[in-house]
Amino acid sequence: MADLVVIGAGPAGMAGALAAAEAGLDVLVVDEQARAGGQIFRRPPETFGGARGYRPYTWAEDLIRRFEAHPGISTRFRSTAYGVLRDREERTMRLRVGVSAPDGGELVETERILIATGAYDMPVAFPGWTKPGVMTVGAAQSLLKSQKVLAGRRIVMAGSHPLLLVAAEQLLEAGAEIAEIAFARGLPGVGEALAAAPAAPGHLGVFAEAGRALARIASRRVRVSMRTIVTEAVGDGAVTGARLAKVDRDWRPVGEPREVGGDLLLLGYGFSPSTELARQAGCEMRWESRLGGWVVQHDERFATTADGVYVAGEPTGVAGAEQSWAEGWKAGLHIAESLGADAHRIRAELRESERLLNRTGRFSRVVQSMFEPRRAALSALSDPEGTLVCRCELVPSERIDGVLRQNPFISSANAVKLECRSGMGPCQGRYCEGTVAARVAAARGAAIEESGYFTAHVPVKPVPLSTYRTLGED
C-alpha cells in the first residue's frame, strides 16, 4: 500500500514524487529503466564511472540527487505499470496498479496515481522504414547516452524537430560521420523570430546549447538541407542510403528525389505523448496537434477526469524537460493537498511552482508553434503500395486503403483496427495509430482528430505471463 504511485521517473515523475514525499506521503515510483532520469536524462550504468553532465538543464543533477536520497520514496526500476484497476465493489473505490517486475508481478494499492509516462518519437511510415538501419533519433541518443554505443557510422538524419541538431552534435562528438541533415521545414522567418523573443528570458542556456550544436555541425561541413523530406529508405535488407526530396510549404514532395548513402537513417519529426496508461485508466483525452496529438485532459491541479488519477509532463502535451519538472512539482503538491497535507506549506510552494510554470510555458509554446508537424503530408508518405503501416501485425497501406474503400461507413481509427488488426500487436498502436488516423481522415475528408484514437486495454504493454501467475498465487 502506498499513498501515491508515480508512473515514470523522468523530470515530471521525480518532481511529483519529491513534492508529495516532502509533504509526508508514502510514495512508490515505477519505471521501466534501470535508473532515474527518464529518456531526457538517460544515464549509463554506475559501473561505467565518470561524471554525467546535464547541460543545459542545470537543475537536473540536484533533482536526481534529492529524488534518490529521499527516505519517503521507494522505487521499482526495470518494472512496467501495465494497468490501473478498480474494485468497484469496495466503497472506497481504492486504486490498484498492476506492476510487472523482474521477480514477478504485484498489485499495488494506492490512494492516488500520478501518470508521468513521458513521450516517444513520433513514428512516420514510408517505404523502407522497417529496414534494419532505420531508427528514431531518440533511440540513437538512448544508445549513446546509456551504453556509449554508436548505432551507425555514416548517418543520414531527417525530420523537423530541433532535437536533430542536438543529437547531431552528440553523434559527431562520439565519432560518427553525418552525411546530411534534412529538415522538412524552412528557416524561421522574421515573424517567427519576433514571436520567439519572449521565450529567451530564463532559457539562455538552451539557446547557447543550440548555438554550440550549430557551430560543431558547421565546423564539420555537414550538409543541412531545408524543405527536404525523406521519401524512402533504400537497401537490399539493411539500409544503404535514403532518398530525399524537396517539399513545398505543406511538406508535399516536389520534383525527383535524390539518393544519399549511409548505413543509418535517423528520424526526428517530433514526439507523441505516451498516454496509453491514462486511456486505460479512463482519463478523457483531447486533440492538440502542436502538443503532440492526443493529450490527457486535466484541470489546474493536474487532476484528470478519472477519480484519483493525476497527470504531469509530456502526457499533458509535449513541452520539454523543464516544463515537465514544473508540472510534476505542482501536481505532487496538489496530490499531497488532496490527502490532507499541511495547507500553509503547500500554498507557499504552489506559488513557486506556478511562477516556474509561467516561465517554462513561454518557451514551450514557441517551440510547439514553430515545429508542429504537417501530419497529413507525413501520413501521405505511406501511400506507395507495399508500405507497412502496422509493423507489428504486418498490415500494409493497401490493406487499410481497401478497408476504407469497401466500408464507406468506417470513419474511425478504432474501426480500422478491428477490421484489419492494425494496432493489435505488441506496441498496441504506438507505431501506427497516427498514420491510420490520418489515412482515415484523408479518405473521409475530415480532420485527423475526428478519426479518434485506439482504445487501450490491460496490459497496455507486453508483460510476461508469469506476471499473472504470481498475481493468482497472491
Side-chain angles (χ1 to χ4, degrees):
M1 172 67 187
D3 296 322
L4 168 65
V5 173
V6 179
I7 316 300
M14 289 189 293
L18 267 171
E22 289 176 350
L25 270 59
D26 179 26
V27 181
L28 171 67
V29 178
V30 180
D31 192 273
E32 295 178 357
Q33 305 306 322
R35 303 178 70 188
Q39 296 291 353
I40 185 69
F41 303 131
R42 180 69 77 94
R43 300 156 73 197
E46 292 181 271
T47 53
F48 278 29
R52 166 74 165 91
Y54 297 101
R55 71 183 200 209
Y57 305 107
T58 55
W59 45 268
E61 186 172 4
D62 178 65
L63 177 65
I64 294 172
R65 179 187 56 79
R66 290 169 54 222
F67 171 82
E68 293 183 329
H70 201 288
I73 300 173
S74 56
T75 55
R76 299 279 195 282
F77 288 117
R78 296 189 176 92
S79 300
T80 299
Y82 63 83
V84 174
L85 308 172
R86 298 175 187 266
D87 189 342
R88 298 191 178 277
E89 294 181 2
E90 291 186 9
R91 187 171 298 176
T92 59
M93 289 286 287
R94 182 165 288 168
L95 297 161
R96 293 183 295 173
V97 180
V99 177
S100 176
D103 56 353
E106 63 177 320
L107 283 179
V108 182
E109 290 193 355
T110 183
E111 298 287 347
R112 300 287 186 271
I113 295 172
L114 175 60
I115 295 176
T117 42
Y120 54 92
D121 292 75
M122 175 184 169
V124 177
F126 56 89
W129 76 298
T130 58
K131 291 179 184 291
V134 181
M135 298 175 64
T136 62
V137 67
Q141 264 195 321
S142 293
L143 279 174
L144 192 58
K145 289 179 181 179
S146 64
Q147 300 299 318
K148 309 301 182 186
V149 170
L150 268 176
R153 288 294 171 182
R154 180 174 169 81
I155 303 172
V156 181
M157 305 180 75
S160 59
H161 196 275
L163 178 64
L164 282 177
L165 299 176
V166 176
E169 184 210 6
Q170 294 168 347
L171 292 165
L172 289 169
E173 190 173 355
E177 175 191 357
I178 298 180
E180 187 167 340
I181 303 174
F183 269 95
R185 61 156 292 148
L187 290 169
V190 175
E192 284 185 310
L194 291 174
H203 293 92
L204 295 180
V206 176
F207 287 103
E209 185 76 3
R212 185 182 299 111
L214 285 169
R216 182 178 288 273
I217 290 167
S219 70
R220 297 293 187 89
R221 301 184 183 278
V222 175
R223 179 174 179 175
V224 179
S225 303
M226 309 305 291
R227 296 204 183 284
T228 303
I229 206 166
V230 60
T231 60
E232 184 179 358
V234 298
D236 184 11
V239 165
T240 58
R243 289 198 173 94
L244 306 177
K246 284 292 184 181
V247 295
D248 61 19
R249 295 182 64 86
D250 295 320
W251 297 10
R252 303 285 183 177
V254 293
E256 289 298 315
R258 55 186 172 82
E259 188 170 324
V260 180
D263 62 351
L264 180 66
L265 171 60
L266 296 183
L267 308 173
Y269 286 97
F271 299 91
S272 299
S274 184
T275 61
E276 57 278 354
L277 186 63
R279 299 182 195 186
Q280 183 274 320
C283 304
E284 291 184 8
M285 311 293 292
R286 77 174 192 278
W287 174 262
E288 292 282 356
S289 180
R290 65 184 183 85
L291 301 185
W294 289 105
V295 299
V296 183
Q297 182 70 38
H298 62 87
D299 63 17
E300 70 281 355
R301 299 170 299 134
F302 291 93
T304 72
T305 56
D307 289 341
V309 180
Y310 291 70
V311 67
E314 311 293 36
T316 72
V318 177
E322 194 170 26
Q323 184 156 331
S324 293
W325 167 42
E327 289 186 6
W329 184 13
K330 187 176 181 185
L333 292 171
H334 281 299
I335 290 169
E337 183 182 44
S338 75
L339 293 176
D342 179 14
H344 178 73
R345 177 182 175 280
I346 294 294
R347 282 197 295 269
E349 280 204 57
L350 277 173
R351 286 193 290 272
E352 292 183 48
S353 68
E354 286 165 1
R355 282 195 290 270
L356 179 60
L357 263 177
N358 288 336
R359 180 169 63 81
T360 59
R362 289 195 297 270
F363 178 79
S364 61
R365 284 190 292 272
V366 167
V367 175
Q368 290 158 352
S369 176
M370 289 180 68
F371 298 100
E372 179 181 352
R374 303 286 195 271
R375 297 177 185 275
L378 293 176
S379 72
L381 294 174
S382 62
D383 274 348
E385 184 178 345
T387 301
L388 282 179
V389 170
C390 176
R391 61 194 303 166
C392 296
E393 293 293 317
L394 303 180
V395 181
S397 58
E398 59 263 34
R399 169 68 174 144
I400 292 173
D401 292 342
V403 164
L404 291 170
R405 283 194 305 270
Q406 296 160 18
N407 302 277
F409 54 87
I410 285 182
S411 60
S412 72
N414 245 346
V416 173
K417 173 183 177 180
L418 293 173
E419 185 69 18
C420 64
R421 295 191 60 83
S422 56
M424 289 191 180
C427 89
Q428 288 291 285
R430 283 181 284 275
Y431 275 96
C432 67
E433 180 189 74
T435 301
V436 171
R439 297 292 289 274
V440 173
R444 302 295 178 247
I448 292 177
E449 58 265 37
E450 293 180 34
S451 302
Y453 49 84
F454 291 159
T455 303
H457 301 282
V458 176
V460 297
K461 289 188 176 181
V463 295
L465 286 175
S466 59
T467 295
Y468 301 104
R469 183 175 66 246
T470 305
L471 293 177
E473 292 170 358
D474 291 343

